[in-house]
Amino acid sequence: MFLEKMLQSQGFGARKHCQQLIKNGAVSINGVVVDNPKEKLKLDDLEFEVYQEKYTYREKVYIALNKPKGYECSHQSTHHFSVFDLFDDILTNRGIQCVGRLDQDTTGLLLLTDDGQFLQALTHPKKHVPKVYKMLTADEITDEQVQQLEAGVELRNETGIFAATDVTRLSSNELQMTVHQGVYHQVKRMIAAVGNKVESLHRQQIGQFDLGDIAEGEWIYLTEEQIQLAKQRDE
Ligand code: URA
């Protein structure tokens, strides 16, 4: 691939802008400035520098963010920050999208990608990728509520029954459960349906990928192995 095209694919701007960066001597590979926009490159394990900043070539990007409170998943957020404010322009230029949504007041694991197939695989309603949530509730969680959540509840304007698995009371007002669909405000509505209220909500896991020790507001690139874990569906 030509150097100018590679830079463009990585989010460094329009072809003309990339050509200019290269001609200005801003781009180097293995410590050597390359000022020919048409330099042919092998992409395997390619690393390069732009203005002395190191980058790794990635055909697609897969990101796990620990979303803080007060951030919306939309590009044009209205009342809050946008999660896209947490990323450099070169990533947003690549057109990364949220894989599903978290409410602005929900914290925890949010995946982002510019790979449309990956996004589809995780968000398609028929694919049923499990998601683990932890929450604090307004009222004490009763045995009956746990049983109702496991048996399944109906949600207004949605068809079918919404059941959780692995419903675990962590303390009197703290619950963990796994949900298997992804309808709007699903967890808050399920908890409301059994007569309680979510006070704060946190997503811990998608598929078999756990948020682990990613600090709030921080993010990582997923490895190939982590991508496969995130895609693990229900049997
Ligand atoms: N369910 C909710 O109610 N809110 C979220 O942010 C995610 C799941």
Side-chain angles (χ1 to χ4, degrees):
M1 187 186 280
F2 290 147
L3 176 57
E4 60 178 25
K5 186 124 194 272
M6 187 281 288
L7 279 188
Q8 193 185 5
S9 76
Q10 300 300 288
F12 286 89
R15 178 87 64 105
K16 279 253 148 40
H17 178 72
C18 294
Q19 282 173 353
Q20 212 50 60
L21 279 176
I22 298 163
K23 286 182 185 160
N24 289 348
V27 184
S28 48
I29 297 174
N30 298 328
V32 180
V33 171
V34 184
D35 60 7
N36 173 13
K38 300 275 189 252
E39 180 86 11
K40 272 204 165 167
L41 300 174
K42 285 217 180 77
L43 300 176
D44 295 341
D45 302 321
L46 175 65
E47 305 215 324
F48 58 97
E49 291 177 13
V50 179
Y51 290 122
Q52 273 91 45
E53 185 112 7
K54 278 200 163 109
Y55 297 92
T56 301
Y57 171 82
R58 294 172 201 274
E59 190 182 347
K60 298 283 177 201
V61 287
Y62 306 87
I63 289 167
L65 166 73
N66 184 348
K67 186 183 108 41
K69 254 190 190 163
Y71 284 79
E72 285 181 21
C73 287
S74 54
H75 280 277
Q76 262 93 44
S77 55
T78 43
H79 301 298
H80 304 95
F81 296 114
S82 160
V83 289
F84 297 100
D85 297 339
L86 297 166
F87 298 97
D88 276 354
D89 286 352
I90 61 154
L91 276 171
T92 48
N93 285 345
R94 289 184 66 137
I96 53 169
Q97 304 285 337
C98 296
V99 180
R101 287 180 169 232
L102 288 180
D103 300 334
Q104 66 78 18
D105 56 353
T106 301
T107 58
L109 179 57
L110 180 68
L111 301 179
L112 298 101
T113 188
D114 58 355
D115 179 348
Q117 282 185 350
F118 178 77
L119 196 139
Q120 269 282 319
L122 271 89
T123 54
H124 194 281
K126 293 215 170 100
K127 299 278 164 74
H128 298 293
V129 174
K131 295 168 202 89
V132 179
Y133 289 90
K134 287 183 181 171
M135 69 211 78
L136 290 175
T137 56
D139 300 316
E140 271 192 27
I141 302 143
T142 63
D143 289 344
E144 200 192 345
Q145 289 173 354
V146 171
Q147 283 155 15
Q148 283 178 310
L149 288 165
E150 284 175 340
V153 295
E154 288 185 357
L155 300 177
R156 239 176 109 189
N157 298 330
E158 310 285 355
T159 43
I161 293 283
F162 294 82
T165 54
D166 302 306
V167 183
T168 312
R169 222 170 348 195
L170 303 171
S171 67
S172 60
N173 291 56
E174 201 181 355
L175 190 73
Q176 175 171 314
M177 69 185 197
T178 304
V179 301
H180 300 265
Q181 303 91 343
V183 300
Y184 182 64
H185 285 170
Q186 181 169 339
V187 173
K188 291 176 184 167
R189 289 162 75 197
M190 285 175 73
I191 298 299
V194 301
N196 207 326
K197 183 172 186 287
V198 170
E199 290 289 346
S200 67
L201 184 60
H202 177 83
R203 183 155 67 192
Q204 186 62 33
Q205 194 173 315
I206 296 177
Q208 292 303 312
F209 178 72
D210 189 278
L211 183 61
D213 56 7
I214 304 170
E216 207 167 286
E218 300 288 319
W219 59 269
I220 59 164
Y221 286 113
L222 295 184
T223 62
E224 187 50 43
E225 196 185 334
Q226 290 169 325
I227 293 168
Q228 294 313 322
L229 285 175
K231 277 167 123 173
Q232 300 249 327
R233 295 189 215 150
D234 296 333
E235 294 305 311

